[in-house]
Amino acid sequence: MKEEAQEVTLTSLSVAEALENILAQFEPLRAIEVPLMEALGIVLAEEVRSDMDNPPFDNSSMDGYAVCAEDTTGAGDNSPVALRVTGHMPAGAFPQPTDRVEPGTTYRIMTGAPVPPGADAVIRFEDTSEGRALDNARLLPEHARAQASHIGEDVLLYRSVKPGDSIRRAGEDMREGDLVLSPGVTLRPAEIGVLASVGKARVRVHRRPRVAVLATGDELVEVDQMPGPGQIRNTNNYAVAAQLQSWGAVPLNLGVARDSREHLEAKLREALALEPDLVISSAGVSVGDHDFVKDVLLSMGRVQMWRVRVRPGKPLLFGRLGEREVPVLGLPGNPVSSMVTMELFARPAIMKMLGKSRLHRPVVTARALEAMDYGSGRAHYVRGIVTREGEEYVCRPTGGQGSNLLTSMSRANSLLIIPESVSRVEPGDTLKALMLDWPEEVF
């Protein structure tokens, strides 16, 4: 598309306006089928129903003795009840036609083993003569088997039980055909366990976004190189890629584009060849002599947005690249500005592509412990530390707030939001805090 045919929004947008414009450009990515363990952390794209009752049979929830509860009536420390051991039921076995607990008898049973017919409760080892013998002798585990009550012997019960005690009933977790997981659920370890329990070795999920990551600048060298005069290490690609990976995306590191139109165009063509869902560049989006990103994007695609009333991160570009119109997000070059704008604008877009219903980080209200004076006219996102004092959250800035001070991001667990209309925050004022982490001391 020719530059003169394009309309470029040069008016500065608020954070909310910019985010609304960006999110409108994204949809959940198509569903794919993946092996179960590759689905961890991403979003389910199908309805899942149980293929069987779970548990499939009544089973014991602990090691002990399967009994008729009525036989234990009156059992206590000073009045034990004796039952004859007539069988043994290990986990993995299943009752045979001859297996049955008759009145006055009991079966020794292991956790997870099927409850034999005739039994309606399980009494744990600790409440029998077997368990008491072990406690009294303080025997090592390898000696414990010698204390077991064998078939044909009596075991003493020191506690009464009720029907159903220590028995996990068939189907109490799920019945065959039950809806166990709905589309849109983020698959945590618990959901992976549920999927395994219903036999889902493969599962349909929204695929992870593929994001091409590109830094620009003649001054950049790789992280394993010692910078020479006028050079700095390329931290942005690694910080941005780490953010993307932590959010569930797949970063595609394109390295560095030098400060020339030709090299930047070549790098963007390289990005398009990877068929990404999003291209993210850092630096080169301002108005300096070597800031070519906007002009190159105009020649290879189109620019839809430029500049946001935010600090750090005012020069922010969004547009489309190539015939496929791949979304492009151009970040500021300073490392903190890059990471903050990733949090504000890229992360919600990634969440939407992943198919998640919650696109934004949690925001809490916190009382300021220190004065903060950053001027008005732009929303300030101050690197901060939120903790809890009693029943309220309190916050303070991390210290230096320069957009080059990357260590301040590593100390922060939040971004403290100072609205455009506010020029100074006094101690005791309340602020909204966008939580980057939920460390233990915050709860």
Side-chain angles (χ1 to χ4, degrees):
M1 185 178 294
K2 294 182 179 179
E3 181 174 346
E4 58 268 25
Q6 300 184 56
E7 294 183 3
V8 181
T9 303
L10 299 178
T11 303
S12 291
L13 302 176
S14 69
V15 170
E17 291 168 336
L19 181 57
E20 182 181 8
N21 288 348
I22 289 172
L23 285 179
Q25 310 298 316
F26 294 93
E27 295 295 336
L29 297 178
R30 63 178 176 84
I32 59 172
E33 189 175 80
V34 299
L36 181 56
M37 283 308 297
E38 292 183 17
L40 182 63
I42 48 181
V43 176
L44 184 66
E46 65 174 318
E47 186 179 85
V48 177
R49 294 184 178 273
S50 178
D51 65 338
M52 60 184 292
D53 290 350
N54 191 20
F57 47 82
D58 291 355
N59 67 91
S60 178
S61 65
M62 59 182 60
D63 298 334
Y65 287 88
V67 298
C68 302
E70 187 176 353
D71 285 344
T72 71
T73 302
D77 288 336
N78 299 318
S79 55
V81 169
L83 296 178
R84 179 58 53 92
V85 180
T86 58
H88 176 70
M89 191 64 62
F94 203 78
Q96 300 300 306
T98 56
D99 288 316
R100 185 172 183 84
V101 175
E102 301 290 351
T105 70
T106 182
Y107 263 49
R108 197 166 185 270
I109 192 169
M110 300 296 105
T111 301
V115 177
D120 61 5
V122 172
I123 184 169
R124 61 180 187 165
F125 281 153
E126 291 89 338
D127 295 317
T128 69
S129 54
E130 178 177 336
R132 296 292 173 91
L134 291 175
D135 288 342
N136 292 337
R138 298 183 180 277
L139 295 175
L140 296 174
E142 56 263 33
H143 300 141
R145 287 187 294 274
Q147 297 297 321
S149 295
H150 299 289
I151 294 176
E153 300 176 348
D154 284 352
V155 62
L156 299 180
L157 313 184
Y158 293 95
R159 187 174 74 86
S160 63
V161 292
K162 302 186 301 295
D165 281 359
S166 301
I167 292 179
R168 299 182 290 214
R169 294 299 184 188
E172 70 176 20
D173 187 14
M174 61 187 84
R175 292 286 185 182
E176 182 179 352
D178 281 353
L179 177 65
V180 292
L181 292 174
S182 298
V185 171
T186 298
L187 299 176
R188 306 167 301 170
E191 284 76 24
I192 295 296
V194 170
L195 290 166
S197 75
V198 299
K200 292 289 289 186
R202 298 181 66 84
V203 60
R204 288 185 64 77
V205 294
H206 292 287
R207 67 175 179 84
R208 299 180 186 274
R210 291 165 48 85
V211 185
V213 180
L214 175 66
T216 68
D218 285 340
E219 75 278 16
L220 300 178
V221 299
E222 271 306 314
V223 296
D224 58 353
Q225 298 178 11
M226 179 60 68
Q231 295 181 323
I232 58 173
R233 288 191 174 102
N234 175 18
T235 59
N236 279 3
N237 271 22
Y238 291 89
V240 167
Q243 287 178 297
L244 290 166
Q245 188 167 320
S246 72
W247 302 334
V250 179
L252 311 169
N253 195 335
L254 293 174
V256 177
R258 298 304 170 191
D259 286 331
S260 76
R261 295 175 189 272
E262 295 74 21
H263 198 240
L264 180 56
E265 288 174 357
K267 279 291 185 180
L268 291 176
R269 285 193 292 271
E270 183 181 337
L272 288 174
L274 296 173
E275 298 186 350
D277 302 294
L278 174 64
V279 176
I280 294 179
S281 68
S282 61
V285 294
S286 192
V287 292
D289 292 344
H290 301 285
D291 291 334
F292 297 126
V293 172
K294 180 167 67 70
D295 291 340
V296 169
L297 186 56
L298 283 169
S299 68
M300 298 180 66
R302 56 194 174 102
V303 173
Q304 295 172 273
M305 188 189 77
W306 187 43
R307 296 178 179 170
V308 181
R309 297 193 302 274
V310 63
R311 183 173 182 181
K314 179 181 178 180
L316 184 83
L317 179 147
F318 185 82
R320 297 282 183 166
L321 178 65
E323 292 183 1
R324 288 182 54 237
E325 293 210 318
V326 177
V328 178
L329 183 63
L331 308 175
N334 282 316
V336 172
S337 301
S338 176
M339 292 195 73
V340 169
T341 49
M342 281 288 291
E343 280 287 344
L344 298 182
F345 304 108
R347 185 181 181 278
I350 296 297
M351 296 298 107
K352 190 170 182 181
M353 283 191 281
L354 282 167
K356 298 202 174 187
S357 57
R358 294 185 178 180
L359 306 185
H360 307 289
R361 292 216 189 256
V363 174
V364 301
T365 300
R367 176 171 56 85
L369 296 177
E370 301 176 15
M372 289 174 254
D373 190 353
Y374 296 104
S376 60
R378 284 192 276 172
H380 286 68
Y381 285 77
V382 177
R383 284 140 275 168
I385 299 172
V386 171
T387 54
R388 181 184 283 277
E389 285 188 359
E391 296 301 315
E392 68 174 346
Y393 295 115
V394 296
C395 64
R396 58 182 174 82
T398 58
Q401 293 289 316
S403 57
N404 63 316
L405 302 178
L406 191 53
T407 55
S408 64
M409 281 295 290
S410 72
R411 292 194 295 270
N413 64 19
S414 59
L415 296 174
L416 311 179
I417 305 170
I418 302 179
E420 293 182 19
S421 58
V422 176
S423 60
R424 180 175 172 82
V425 174
E426 299 290 350
D429 289 349
T430 57
L431 293 173
K432 296 294 185 183
L434 186 152
M435 298 302 300
L436 305 177
D437 298 298
W438 278 101
E440 292 179 1
E441 60 268 22
V442 172
F443 286 101

